[in-house]
């Protein structure tokens, strides 16, 4: 996507676009700060929770490192370092990937599943408090519609 107009000039945001962009950023910061703080009180980070919840939904509670990194928008090396920390806490374990000699599988442990089950109710309450309950049903529908457009240009 070009940031320049057809005549080569920068396409600056008009006042309405600038307000919308800044409002979006404020919402993201407010929601993520609130939910991250609430997860931290449970001893988890947002990435911890995402890895645990994603693995809990997968067959055999297993995912490749690459699939998980792609889902999170992280590099494999960044996720690998994070997985090492989670593995040290007993939340997951790594196994060799039989289809990729260089890769590994991330497997949710029983302790990881218990941790997720314990944290999920409080996390869902946090999501409701910082986001869902502040919006009308039509706002939620608008956000879904906007997300589809932004995710799939």
């Amino acid at each position: 996507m070009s940031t320049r107009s057809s005549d080569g000039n920068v396409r600056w945001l008009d006042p309405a676009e600038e307000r919308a962009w800044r409002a979006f950023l404020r919402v993201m910061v407010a929601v993520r700060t609130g939910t991250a703080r609430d997860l931290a009180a449970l001893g988890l980070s947002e990435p911890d929770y995402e890895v645990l919840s994603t693995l809990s939904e997968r067959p055999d509670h297993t995912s490749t490192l690459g699939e998980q990194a792609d889902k999170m928008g992280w590099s494999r090396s960044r996720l690998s370092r994070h997985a090492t920390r989670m593995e040290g806490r007993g939340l997951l374990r790594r196994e060799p990937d039989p289809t990729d000699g260089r890769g590994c599988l991330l497997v949710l442990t029983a302790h990881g599943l218990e941790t997720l089950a314990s944290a999920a109710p409080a996390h869902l309450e946090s999501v409701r408090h910082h986001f869902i309950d502040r919006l009308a049903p039509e706002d939620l529908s608008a956000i879904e519609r906007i997300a589809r457009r932004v995710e799939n240009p």
Side-chain angles (χ1 to χ4, degrees), residues 21-35:
W21 174 244
R22 289 181 182 265
F24 170 75
L25 293 176
R26 286 192 308 273
V27 166
M28 290 295 298
V29 168
V31 172
R32 293 201 77 187
T33 299
T35 57

Side-chain angles (χ1 to χ4, degrees), residues 121-134:
H123 179 60
L124 292 172
E125 182 58 34
S126 176
V127 169
R128 287 193 167 285
H129 172 74
H130 295 290
F131 186 66
I132 300 295
D133 291 346
R134 296 173 184 230

Side-chain angles (χ1 to χ4, degrees), residues 35-49 52 82 85-86 89 91 111 115-116 118-119 122:
T35 57
R37 182 182 56 243
D38 294 345
L39 275 172
L42 302 171
L44 295 171
S45 68
E46 287 179 305
D48 290 341
Y49 192 88
L52 293 174
H82 189 80
R85 292 188 294 274
M86 291 182 74
R89 292 162 46 211
L91 299 171
H111 175 62
T115 299
L116 177 64
S118 175

Side-chain angles (χ1 to χ4, degrees), residues 51-62 71 108 116:
V51 170
L52 293 174
S53 64
T54 300
L55 290 176
S56 76
E57 297 165 352
R58 299 290 311 247
D60 299 323
H61 298 156
T62 302
K71 181 186 182 308
L108 185 64
L116 177 64

Side-chain angles (χ1 to χ4, degrees), residues 141-153:
S141 295
I143 289 171
E144 283 186 274
R145 188 181 69 254
I146 291 165
R148 281 192 301 275
R149 292 187 74 174
V150 171
E151 290 171 344
N152 300 309

Side-chain angles (χ1 to χ4, degrees), residues 48-85:
D48 290 341
Y49 192 88
E50 185 169 356
V51 170
L52 293 174
S53 64
T54 300
L55 290 176
S56 76
E57 297 165 352
R58 299 290 311 247
D60 299 323
H61 298 156
T62 302
S63 177
T64 68
L65 181 78
E67 289 170 336
Q68 187 65 38
D70 289 345
K71 181 186 182 308
M72 295 176 70
W74 283 18
S75 69
R76 289 178 184 212
S77 62
R78 180 180 179 191
L79 179 57
S80 180
R81 288 189 301 275
H82 189 80
T84 297
R85 292 188 294 274

